[in-house]
Amino acid sequence: MSKRIPITKLSVFLVLCSIGLFSLAHLGAFAYDRFLSPTQPVSDSGMKDVAGLSDQNTEDKQGGETHAASIETISEINVNGLPLTPGLQQFIDSYPEIVIGGTSPFSLLEFIEGEGFTGATDQDLSTLASCLYELMLPSNFEVIERNQSRELPDGIELGLEAYINKEQDKDFIFSNPNDGSYTIILQWQGDVLSISLTGAELPYRVTVDRRNEQSFKPKVIKQYSPYLHSGEIMVTEEGRNGMQVEVWRSFQTMKGELLKEEKVSEDFYLPVHKEELHSMKDYVAGEAVDVSGAGETTSEVGEQVSQDSSNPQKSPSNQEEDEKSDSNSASQKEESNASSSEKDLPETDMK
């Protein structure tokens, strides 16, 4: 009896093990069919990751091509008749490309100081800065500092001057507001200076126009000399018109819709007065006709003529120096008294 009990227990144990193995096999087959069948995806997230990686690789591959293709010429100018000075030539030869970093300012004086470049004069740098200013306008670059001189230099268009003076710390500074860097390319094409700004294409178009342009005629300052014959006129200063202009930028979508417009600058240049040297005889004859005030003016003329007769004849070089002094004196009188251009004052020395 005692020998049957272990056999029974063993039989029950084997039966239970068989049932357990069968159950596990069934569950394994079900799990395989449900989750690991080759006809079903491993997981939705797994497919997305693979597809995303493939798309990302494709985008990366295309992105390099797109990035290379997106380098566009944002702005370009060609300057004719520019004086090829040694300083300007040396600068262009030394820096044919200047990279403007993303969201970074650029100072011309700081650039040449950092590079140790000393071969350009203020006039050379002013010419270069004016060209860079014109180049920046059809972009979204922001002008931080720009100066202008008293008279518009030759070869620079109205509204496009950028004056540089190292001693007075007058600089030209602009800023790149974009994330990507842009490159300024300078090169000579014969006697034409070509400057271009290249980088990522802007999402809009920028146009530049000048508005409210005005011109102011100069006054005529008459001076008199006893060394000229009656009716003889010598022009000592041709004079120059005063000028004023506003520079505006307009931002438009690619479809031509106006986004905004802004006034970038307003430049004004005073007129340079024209100066003429007339004969003292014409002055005396005119005062003789004008009875009112004739006594005072005749006395003044007589005194100055007597002084001229007592002085020895001056050489042409000394006369020229005296002319400059008298011209400056007349200019000061004209500015202090608006009627000085109408009431002519005599001059003792010939220019």
Side-chain angles (χ1 to χ4, degrees):
M1 188 71 181
S2 60
K3 293 181 179 180
R4 292 180 180 178
I5 292 175
I7 296 174
T8 303
K9 291 181 178 180
L10 181 60
S11 300
V12 173
F13 177 77
L14 291 175
V15 171
L16 293 175
C17 289
S18 300
I19 295 173
L21 291 173
F22 178 80
S23 299
L24 290 174
H26 182 72
L27 289 174
F30 176 79
Y32 178 81
D33 293 337
R34 178 66 182 84
F35 299 105
L36 300 177
S37 173
T39 60
Q40 298 293 333
V42 177
S43 68
D44 293 341
S45 61
M47 283 298 295
K48 290 180 180 178
D49 291 341
V50 173
L53 181 60
S54 176
D55 293 342
Q56 183 177 0
N57 291 337
T58 303
E59 290 175 0
D60 291 342
K61 182 178 179 181
Q62 294 177 352
E65 298 174 359
T66 303
H67 178 70
S70 65
I71 300 299
E72 302 288 342
T73 300
I74 307 302
S75 174
E76 183 177 11
I77 62 172
N78 295 308
V79 186
N80 296 305
L82 194 65
L84 182 57
T85 62
L88 193 59
Q89 179 68 61
Q90 183 180 353
F91 184 92
I92 296 174
D93 292 341
S94 302
Y95 312 105
E97 293 187 1
I98 302 175
V99 178
I100 311 298
T103 62
S104 301
F106 176 84
S107 164
L108 183 57
L109 290 184
E110 289 183 1
F111 176 78
I112 63 174
E113 182 179 357
E115 295 291 331
F117 181 78
T118 59
T121 64
D122 286 347
Q123 184 177 357
D124 296 332
L125 295 176
S126 297
T127 301
L128 178 63
S130 300
C131 294
L132 294 179
Y133 177 54
E134 182 180 359
L135 183 72
M136 296 299 106
L137 286 176
S139 70
N140 63 347
F141 281 33
E142 300 171 355
V143 179
I144 299 176
E145 179 183 346
R146 181 184 74 95
N147 302 281
Q148 67 176 86
S149 57
R150 294 184 177 181
E151 297 183 18
L152 181 65
D154 295 333
I156 303 299
E157 294 186 21
L158 178 62
L160 301 179
E161 182 195 6
Y163 176 66
I164 297 292
N165 190 306
K166 294 189 290 291
E167 292 185 357
Q168 299 178 5
D169 198 25
K170 291 187 176 181
D171 198 357
F172 176 58
I173 307 175
F174 59 87
S175 175
N176 173 18
N178 308 293
D179 294 333
S181 61
Y182 286 75
T183 303
I184 299 174
I185 303 175
L186 304 97
Q187 57 182 344
W188 287 100
Q189 297 179 351
D191 58 348
V192 178
L193 176 60
S194 177
I195 310 178
S196 59
L197 175 67
T198 62
E201 184 179 6
L202 300 178
Y204 39 74
R205 287 196 294 259
V206 184
T207 57
V208 181
D209 63 311
R210 289 175 287 184
R211 306 178 185 176
N212 301 325
E213 185 172 349
Q214 301 181 48
S215 178
F216 309 95
K217 292 184 178 181
K219 295 180 180 180
V220 178
I221 300 177
K222 294 182 180 180
Q223 299 174 327
Y224 294 86
S225 172
Y227 303 110
L228 294 181
H229 300 291
S230 179
E232 185 178 358
I233 300 176
M234 180 183 299
V235 178
T236 58
E237 173 61 56
E238 292 291 344
R240 197 169 189 174
N241 289 343
M243 295 171 288
Q244 181 177 346
V245 70
E246 297 175 0
V247 177
W248 287 74
R249 286 198 298 194
S250 300
F251 296 81
Q252 301 176 347
T253 64
M254 296 304 177
K255 296 181 180 180
E257 300 175 353
L258 181 63
L259 297 174
K260 73 169 184 176
E261 60 181 8
E262 61 181 10
K263 183 169 72 171
V264 182
S265 64
E266 181 175 353
D267 293 358
F268 175 74
Y269 297 91
L270 288 170
V272 178
H273 299 317
K274 183 178 181 179
E275 297 181 6
E276 296 179 348
L277 195 60
H278 293 248
S279 172
M280 182 69 73
K281 297 178 181 179
D282 296 336
Y283 176 80
V284 174
E287 289 298 321
V289 175
D290 186 6
V291 179
S292 62
E296 178 183 355
T297 307
T298 304
S299 173
E300 181 181 357
V301 173
E303 180 181 356
Q304 296 188 4
V305 171
S306 62
Q307 292 177 357
D308 291 339
S309 60
S310 62
N311 292 333
Q313 183 69 26
K314 298 180 180 180
S315 64
S317 60
N318 294 334
Q319 292 179 14
E320 182 177 355
E321 294 178 357
D322 291 341
E323 291 166 14
K324 294 181 180 178
S325 175
D326 294 336
S327 174
N328 293 334
S329 175
S331 299
Q332 294 176 358
K333 292 180 180 179
E334 191 275 340
E335 292 177 356
S336 62
N337 187 356
S339 62
S340 62
S341 60
E342 299 177 358
K343 183 179 180 180
D344 303 326
L345 300 178
E347 183 186 80
T348 57
D349 295 327
M350 171 181 177
K351 286 193 171 185

